[in-house]
Amino acid sequence: MKNTFSLVVFIIFFVMLSSVVDKVKAITCQDPLGSCIQCDERCKAKHGPTGQASCDRFQLCTCYYTCGPSPTPPGHQKQCYGGAGLCSSACNQNCAQKYIGGSGFCETIGSSRLCKCQYPC
């Protein structure tokens, strides 16, 4: 009886340990997003709340996120762009409401700051 109990405890420990190892081995993917303007907001809008944005010394935004199964094969989902007027703090929210799966960021064109939306076509 004592050996059976020890075996059960060992199996439970092994199962718990193996589940932690899978989480540690999660692969991180990168997605270049262009300009650093509203980098973190665009990263989280595109890859969920676990996305981590980073701007490099050239002011280019890169989003790091946990890789997972892609709903569509890479290259098959084309990205389209549209406008949502002048830039405001609600640019990302406006694009999300205007376009399905959309995210927004502000871009300076000439002397104007415009809200630009990116969404799957």
Side-chain angles (χ1 to χ4, degrees), residues 7-28:
L7 180 63
V8 170
V9 170
F10 177 74
I11 291 172
I12 291 171
F13 176 74
F14 182 73
V15 168
M16 289 173 52
L17 181 65
S18 65
S19 67
V20 171
V21 169
D22 286 341
K23 290 179 184 174
V24 172
K25 290 183 179 179
I27 299 171
T28 301

Side-chain angles (χ1 to χ4, degrees), residues 42-63:
R42 291 186 293 135
C43 177
K44 289 188 184 336
K46 190 168 184 182
H47 297 289
T50 60
Q52 297 291 317
S54 174
C55 288
D56 65 15
R57 62 185 173 139
F58 301 110
Q59 292 301 303
L60 294 174
C61 175
T62 302
C63 183

Side-chain angles (χ1 to χ4, degrees), residues 86-105:
L86 294 175
C87 180
S88 70
S89 60
C91 176
N92 190 45
Q93 181 180 1
N94 292 341
C95 290
Q97 291 173 348
K98 190 172 182 179
Y99 300 103
I100 296 172
S103 62
F105 56 96

